[in-house]
Amino acid sequence: MLIIAGLGNPGSKYARNRHNIGFMAADAIHRRHNFSPWSKKFKAEISEGELGGEKVLLIKPQTYMNLSGEAVGEAMRFYKLQPADLVAIYDELDLPPGKARLKTGGGNGGHNGIRSLDAHCGKEYRRLRLGIGHPGVKELVQHHVLGDFAKTDQTWLELLLETLADNADMLVRKEDSQLMNKLARAVDGKAAVEEEKPQKKPAAQSHIHQARNRAQPKLPATGPMAEMLKKIFGNKGE
């Protein structure tokens, strides 16, 4: 059995926060595959289903981010699972928006949800980090992670989550590098297409039209030259 834990904060107030991208990922997997309706257990919302022929428990801790390990640890003890049977999905400040990284073990990187998981579940579980970008200065970090995704984020966010949901069975088969390649191609491929869209050029004009549009030389209205031109061409309108 595999537990896939999406991390976030409960409640509508936090639903679209960058910090809740783990919840969003769990919801995307739930929508795409044949999982049971969400129910409450282990201080969390849980749902059971199958991916790649193996039983999977989706879990969204309802303890708030900083205590995520309490819920996930309780579920792991109930099912007698080891850290290797856990995949945690969460936001990563130090990755550009839309980028993803998956590895086993490592530090918490200052992420309180992961610090809690490490304390309650052990450290040798797989960590799927989804990039939300860094605001640039430490003072803006809290506002950034607890702020909603911008409208400009929606394209890459939907692509990332839907591609992850489509290929969630790779998490069961531990095809980690292949999954990372699929996520990267989905997000970067879209960006490349947008960059390659040709700029709209003004409609081409014929040589005759261009010639007509050129400024015509101004003829003298008075003086000897004007009198000469009148004798040659006559006065227009006479």
Side-chain angles (χ1 to χ4, degrees):
M1 182 179 183
L2 181 71
I3 290 181
I4 298 177
L7 304 190
N9 286 312
S12 58
K13 175 182 176 181
Y14 303 101
R16 299 304 299 171
N17 285 183
R18 295 179 179 89
H19 214 25
N20 270 40
I21 196 170
F23 274 13
M24 297 176 196
D27 286 333
I29 294 171
H30 184 268
R31 287 193 301 269
R32 178 69 78 250
H33 301 277
N34 189 27
F35 277 79
S36 66
W38 291 105
S39 61
K40 292 187 177 181
K41 193 175 182 179
F42 311 124
K43 302 177 187 175
E45 289 187 356
I46 65 168
S47 176
E48 296 181 354
E50 277 193 6
L51 291 172
E54 185 171 337
K55 187 175 180 180
V56 172
L57 180 75
L58 290 175
I59 182 169
K60 297 189 295 182
Q62 301 294 293
T63 52
Y64 288 92
M65 180 68 82
N66 294 1
L67 301 176
S68 297
E70 291 184 6
V72 179
E74 190 174 332
M76 289 180 66
R77 289 188 295 274
F78 181 86
Y79 291 107
K80 298 180 173 59
L81 300 176
Q82 301 300 314
D85 303 313
L86 170 64
V87 177
I89 307 177
Y90 59 100
D91 58 300
E92 176 56 75
L93 276 167
D94 293 329
L95 283 176
K99 299 296 182 182
R101 296 290 183 274
L102 179 56
K103 69 173 184 177
T104 300
N108 60 55
H111 194 290
N112 289 330
I114 296 305
R115 183 179 286 113
S116 180
L117 255 65
D118 288 352
H120 289 270
C121 309
K123 294 186 177 182
E124 294 304 305
Y125 56 89
R126 289 151 75 206
R127 304 159 190 239
L128 175 51
R129 299 176 292 147
L130 304 181
I132 61 169
H134 196 287
V137 292
K138 185 177 179 181
E139 291 74 16
L140 296 178
V141 165
Q142 184 174 356
H143 176 76
H144 181 71
V145 298
L146 294 179
D148 288 357
F149 281 106
K151 287 183 179 179
T152 53
D153 294 322
Q154 294 310 308
T155 298
W156 70 257
L157 180 61
E158 289 178 11
L159 279 170
L160 181 69
L161 297 178
E162 294 307 314
T163 304
L164 173 59
D166 286 343
N167 299 281
D169 56 325
M170 288 183 164
L171 290 172
V172 173
R173 295 196 298 269
K174 297 186 177 180
E175 296 173 348
D176 295 357
S177 60
Q178 295 94 319
L179 176 59
M180 292 303 96
N181 287 336
K182 282 187 175 290
L183 295 179
R185 284 200 300 269
V187 176
D188 295 342
K190 175 67 176 178
V193 168
E194 290 179 348
E195 287 174 3
E196 290 171 7
K197 283 181 181 177
Q199 297 295 319
K200 190 174 182 180
K201 296 179 180 179
Q205 294 181 337
S206 68
H207 295 303
I208 296 173
H209 191 71
Q210 291 176 25
R212 286 175 179 169
N213 287 338
R214 291 195 187 102
Q216 297 296 323
K218 189 174 182 180
L219 299 178
T222 60
M225 179 63 73
E227 293 298 321
M228 184 186 302
L229 291 171
K230 286 180 183 178
K231 290 179 181 178
I232 296 172
F233 298 106
N235 283 329
K236 288 185 179 180
E238 288 183 352

